[in-house]
């Protein structure tokens, strides 16, 4: 069985985003970029499956990234974590989830994976769409927001983090899974593995190779900073806090 | 424009999130609803009472019992033949279903809208709410999820919608089955609609301490209980307590953050609260930059004293 893992290059989660003065977007020049944290979890899960944890049968893990040349770094990170090979679908356009899903559909048609594991959400645009869209395009089952994945030869059982707690679904393979925070703790790539990753296969493609039109459907008219909260007051002790709460009518 | 709103329900009653989605949809035009489920007569009747609602489409079938996206999305797509927009609250079920619908309609979804600026223009948060984008779609049909805290709830009564059954033959697509759920019965107010929330962070140290300190304070304030990711990851509380960029978005009258540092991912979920109270032993903790009332000190001393004096 093959597992496909789409990984996105995003602003590192520790960096505070700055809105550009001209209102055209968030400034990404000279800032640290990393693999989307949910995608690290996806790569980790795929590798664990290949290692025979949570169900066996996985023989190959393929990482895919859609974006500019620099996404190669993100793919090398996935390879260093343990993915077997990588595909860069290179474009300088900002590719929306729908187009990413179409590219992934074409790759899935070509590679025939049993499972595609994506992040639940890219932390830059916070869209939370691509996995569900890919599932729609392929007609496959979708186990979104997964906190547990158990693979069997012809099905996958996914425990999902939902608003009220947890929910479990069984999906026929092939299927789509999107990761939530509690699924696993991603490993760090060791130095020897980082070296090894440099010689793992990485193929270069373009959206045109897959016949996908990546023209955006959504135009960003402007990007602004949200209204800032004023820092309030510090109180000296509990009595003063109780007073404040009383004045504000917060005490029951 | 005719909109179709996804009704989030628990089998018996309509969830509040639906009411916010109705308000957002009403800014686009005529509001129709979709109630999907099994044995949902009562829900359909309740939905028809929502102020401003026209038609209520009801799809009653075992295949829809657990709102499996694989079965529900084709149903929505069919109804979208005579609607111009599909609107769902950005709950876990809305987020699960809407993008699948969008892909089947070949449109880009607009996620988590904060406002409707025009029939094709919306604002939405990006980068954990550190930026607000105004976006315009060129798709003829719209698929939208709604940040419920950004829209007033429509009145649950006063409407007079007409209920219409949707044929649901062949609804089970056969690729997914519901196995079970662990939905904790919780006597407390739901986080997304609570007036007051008390949230605990990593500093609590254990599930026992969390219950021992946070719960009584929440009881005193009639509050819902939330948590930071760190507290959930450490297993102090279940996953559905998580407030933040990738958890629940809340905007209560009062949010009390106890032993939470205020990472941007946490702030993303609560910084629209009316009044923020923070208790933290580190006077430089970022949470104090957004707190209206801050108290610097050891929560293990402060919280019991506060609970007692309230
Ligand atoms: C992809 C991604 C998504 C994320 N999504 C979310 C999300 O949705 N929600 C979320 O909350 N986080 C999220 N995070 C995690 C976030 O970055 C922080 O790690 C997390 O919010 C920290 O939780 P905390 O404040 O409880 O812990 P810490 O940052 O460890 O803070 C503990 C605080 O307690 C204080 N403290 C310690 N002891 C005491 C004491 N005795 N008395 C008083 N104060 C004390 C400390 O001064 C400190 O400020 C996400 C991270 C990533 C990478
Ligand atoms: N450009 C991209 N390249 C590769 N994977 C992507 C890309 N965009 C989104 N994804 C995948 O889709 C997931 C959800 O992203 P989104 O729908 O944009 O929030 C991410 O966590 C990735 O796994």
């Amino acid at each position: 069985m093959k597992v496909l893992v789409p990984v996105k290059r995003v602003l590192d989660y520790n960096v505070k985003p700055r809105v550009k003065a001209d209102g055209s977007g968030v400034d990404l020049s000279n800032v640290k970029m990393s693999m989307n944290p949910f995608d690290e979890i996806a790569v980790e899960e795929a590798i664990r499956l290949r290692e025979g944890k949570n169900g066996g049968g996985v023989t190959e893990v393929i990482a895919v990234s859609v974006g500019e040349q620099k996404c190669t770094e993100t793919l090398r990170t996935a390879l260093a974590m343990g993915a077997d090979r990588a595909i860069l679908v290179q474009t300088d356009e900002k590719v929306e989830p729908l187009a990413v899903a179409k590219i992934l559909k074409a790759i899935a048609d070509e590679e025939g994976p049993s499972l595609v594991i994506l992040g639940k959400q890219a932390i830059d645009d916070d869209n939370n769409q691509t996995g569900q869209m890919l599932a729609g395009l392929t007609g496959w089952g979708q186990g979104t927001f997964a906190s547990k994945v158990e693979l069997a030869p012809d099905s996958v059982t996914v425990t999902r983090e939902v608003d009220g707690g947890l929910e479990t679904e069984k999906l026929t393979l092939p299927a789509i899974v999107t990761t939530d925070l509690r699924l696993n703790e991603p490993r760090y790539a060791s130095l020897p593995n980082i070296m090894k990753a440099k010689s793992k296969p990485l193929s270069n493609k373009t959206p045109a190779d897959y016949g996908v039109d990546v023209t955006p459907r959504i135009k960003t008219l402007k990007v602004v900073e949200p209204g800032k909260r004023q820092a309030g007051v510090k109180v000296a002790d509990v009595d003063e806090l109780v007073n404040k709460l009383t004045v504000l009518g917060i005490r029951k | 424009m005719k909109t179709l709103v996804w009704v989030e329900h628990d089998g018996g009653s309509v969830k509040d999130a639906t009411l916010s989605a109705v308000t957002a949809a009403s800014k686009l035009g005529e509001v129709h609803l979709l109630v999907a489920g099994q044995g949902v007569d009562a829900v359909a009747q309740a939905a028809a009472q929502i102020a401003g609602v026209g038609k209520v489409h009801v799809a009653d079938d075992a295949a829809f019992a657990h709102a499996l996206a694989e079965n529900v999305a084709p149903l929505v797509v069919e109804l979208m033949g005579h609607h111009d927009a599909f609107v769902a609250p950005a709950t876990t079920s809305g987020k699960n279903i809407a993008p699948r619908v969008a892909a089947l309609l070949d449109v880009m979804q607009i996620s988590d809208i904060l406002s409707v600026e025009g029939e094709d223009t919306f604002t939405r948060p990006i980068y954990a709410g550190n930026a607000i984008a105004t976006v315009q779609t060129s798709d003829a049909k719209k698929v939208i999820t709604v940040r419920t805290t950004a829209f007033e709830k429509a009145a649950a009564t006063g409407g007079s919608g007409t209920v219409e059954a949707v044929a649901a033959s062949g609804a089970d697509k056969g690729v997914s089955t519901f196995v079970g759920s662990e939905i904790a019965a919780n006597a407390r107010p739901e986080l997304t609609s609570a007036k007051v929330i008390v949230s605990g962070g990593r500093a609590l140290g254990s599930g026992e301490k969390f219950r021992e300190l946070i719960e009584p304070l929440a009881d005193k304030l009639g509050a819902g209980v939330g948590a930071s990711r760190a507290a959930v990851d450490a297993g102090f509380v279940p996953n559905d307590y998580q407030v933040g960029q990738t958890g629940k978005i809340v905007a209560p009258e009062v949010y009390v953050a106890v032993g939470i540092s205020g990472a941007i991912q946490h702030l993303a979920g609560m910084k629209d609260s009316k009044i923020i109270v923070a208790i933290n032993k580190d006077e430089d903790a970022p949470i104090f930059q957004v707190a209206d009332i801050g108290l610097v000190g050891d929560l293990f001393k402060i919280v019991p004293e506060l609970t007692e004096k309230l």
Side-chain angles (χ1 to χ4, degrees), chain A residues 11 13-17 19 26 28 38 41 96-99 102 120-130 132-145 157 159-172 180-182 216-226 229-239 241-242 244-246 248 250-252, chain B residues 8 66 68-70 91-93 95-97 99-100 102-104 106-111 121 124-139 174-184 219-222 229 232-233 239-240 242 245-248 254 264-265 271-277 279 283 288-296 302 305-306 309-310:
Chain A
L11 180 66
Y13 79 96
N14 276 313
V15 177
K16 177 147 172 64
V19 173
V26 165
L28 297 180
F38 288 100
I41 297 173
E96 294 172 342
L98 180 62
K102 287 179 181 176
K120 83 163 174 183
Q121 157 178 359
I123 60 163
D124 49 3
D125 286 335
D126 285 331
N127 270 319
N128 196 332
Q129 303 178 3
T130 309
Q132 297 89 315
M133 286 183 156
L134 176 60
L137 297 177
T138 51
W140 299 351
Q142 61 185 60
T144 49
F145 326 141
T157 301
T159 303
R160 310 174 50 229
E161 294 198 355
V162 296
D163 284 337
L166 296 171
E167 188 175 287
T168 304
E169 280 172 27
K170 188 172 172 183
L171 312 170
T172 311
D180 216 319
L181 296 168
R182 261 66 62 178
R217 306 288 184 85
I218 291 179
K219 195 156 89 188
T220 299
L221 303 180
K222 67 168 187 238
V223 175
V224 297
E225 272 184 26
R229 280 190 86 97
Q230 301 293 331
V233 294
K234 289 223 175 84
V235 293
D237 54 25
V238 172
D239 289 324
L241 177 56
V242 171
K244 283 258 181 225
L245 295 177
T246 310
L248 289 164
I250 294 167
R251 296 181 60 172
K252 219 174 41 166
Chain B
E8 177 122 358
H66 300 285
L68 294 174
E70 298 82 355
T91 54
T92 47
S93 79
K95 289 191 274 200
N96 189 40
I97 292 163
R100 190 168 179 120
L104 294 172
D106 192 31
V107 310
M108 249 307 285
Q109 171 176 297
I110 302 155
S111 297
T121 307
R124 59 176 304 263
I126 54 175
Y127 289 88
N130 283 288
I132 309 295
T134 305
V135 297
Q136 183 177 34
T137 173
S138 59
D139 286 318
V175 291
S176 55
T177 44
F178 175 82
V179 176
S181 63
E182 285 169 49
I183 306 292
D219 286 341
K220 273 278 166 74
L221 294 167
R229 173 193 174 179
V232 176
D233 282 4
N239 60 278
D240 55 312
Q242 183 182 311
Q245 178 188 17
T246 62
K248 286 193 175 126
V254 184
I264 57 173
Q265 293 86 5
K271 71 176 162 42
D272 292 327
S273 306
K274 283 229 176 63
I275 294 169
I276 296 173
V277 180
I279 298 168
E283 63 176 332
F288 288 125
Q289 287 164 23
V290 301
D292 300 283
I293 309 173
L295 178 50
V296 179
I302 291 171
E305 188 184 341
L306 177 62
K309 288 183 172 164
L310 277 170

Side-chain angles (χ1 to χ4, degrees), chain A residues 5-10 36-40 42 63-68 71 74-75 87 89 91 93-98 100-101 103-104 116-133 177-179, chain B residues 99 108 111 124:
Chain A
V5 187
V7 294
K8 189 177 187 191
R9 181 173 182 267
V10 298
N36 182 41
F38 288 100
D39 304 353
E40 290 182 353
V64 183
S65 194
V66 180
E68 53 182 332
C71 297
T74 318
L75 289 170
I87 303 170
V89 184
T91 166
E93 274 276 3
K94 190 165 148 38
V95 187
E96 294 172 342
L98 180 62
V100 173
I103 291 169
L104 294 173
V116 186
I117 311 181
L118 305 89
K120 83 163 174 183
Q121 157 178 359
I123 60 163
D124 49 3
D125 286 335
D126 285 331
N127 270 319
N128 196 332
Q129 303 178 3
T130 309
Q132 297 89 315
M133 286 183 156
V177 169
T178 76
T179 62
Chain B
M108 249 307 285
S111 297
R124 59 176 304 263

Side-chain angles (χ1 to χ4, degrees), chain A residues 21-34:
Chain A
D22 66 359
S24 63
V26 165
D27 196 352
L28 297 180
S29 50
N30 302 315
V31 289
K32 186 175 177 209
M33 304 289 284
S34 302

Side-chain angles (χ1 to χ4, degrees), chain B residues 201-202 228-229 242-244 246 259 261 265-266 280-281 298-299:
Chain B
R202 190 198 311 267
S228 70
R229 173 193 174 179
Q242 183 182 311
V243 170
T246 62
S261 60
Q265 293 86 5
H266 188 80
N280 195 302
K281 71 172 182 194
D298 182 1
L299 72 91

